[in-house]
Amino acid sequence: MNISNNKNDRNCCAVHALEHAGGFNFDEAQAIFAALGRKLNKGTPIPIIERALKLTLSTKRTNEFLGRTVRSVIDDLPTSGIFILHVRGHIFTYKDGVVEDWVESDSRRRIVDAWYISAKKTNARIEKTIARGRKILSLSSS
């Protein structure tokens, strides 16, 4: 992942996870999280991540990977499909056989939560959330 795409934002792994899993661009994903309460340059609390996933994607939480290392999970995941994987202090996307992140696929970090993504939702509420988030971001950057 190219961290120059962060647009002056740090601690934005959840933004990148939503970007890659949902096919949003970084600005849209960042705006969604801002509208839901994420502060610029701050990590994203799990309840906000869950709200963003519920709003934008059709997901199914899965327990089959809990407690396993990233390395062992990556070896068992299918080469097609999208998963968002959460390890302590970080979240990332696995999409069609590729880890869409800086995290090493042979990492020994343990999975603490995981979601299977079946589809991106499209509705007016998402567009309104993006617009509201962009307004919040423009105010916080000035």
Side-chain angles (χ1 to χ4, degrees), residues 62 65-70 73 84-88 92 108-114:
T62 178
F65 308 124
L66 300 186
R68 293 178 54 196
T69 64
V70 171
V73 169
I84 292 180
L85 302 171
H86 175 216
V87 296
R88 191 171 62 97
F92 63 96
R108 293 184 183 196
R109 297 174 80 179
R110 299 216 175 259
I111 304 294
V112 295
D113 218 341

Side-chain angles (χ1 to χ4, degrees), residues 12-13 15 23 28 37 39-42 44 48 57 64 68 71 76 86 94 105 108 118 123 133 138 140:
C12 55
C13 59
V15 176
E28 291 169 333
K39 305 292 184 216
L40 193 64
N41 295 316
K42 304 285 183 189
T44 310
I48 292 176
L57 303 169
E64 74 179 280
R68 293 178 54 196
R71 177 192 308 180
D76 288 348
H86 175 216
Y94 173 90
S105 59
R108 293 184 183 196
S118 57
N123 60 52
S138 70
S140 67

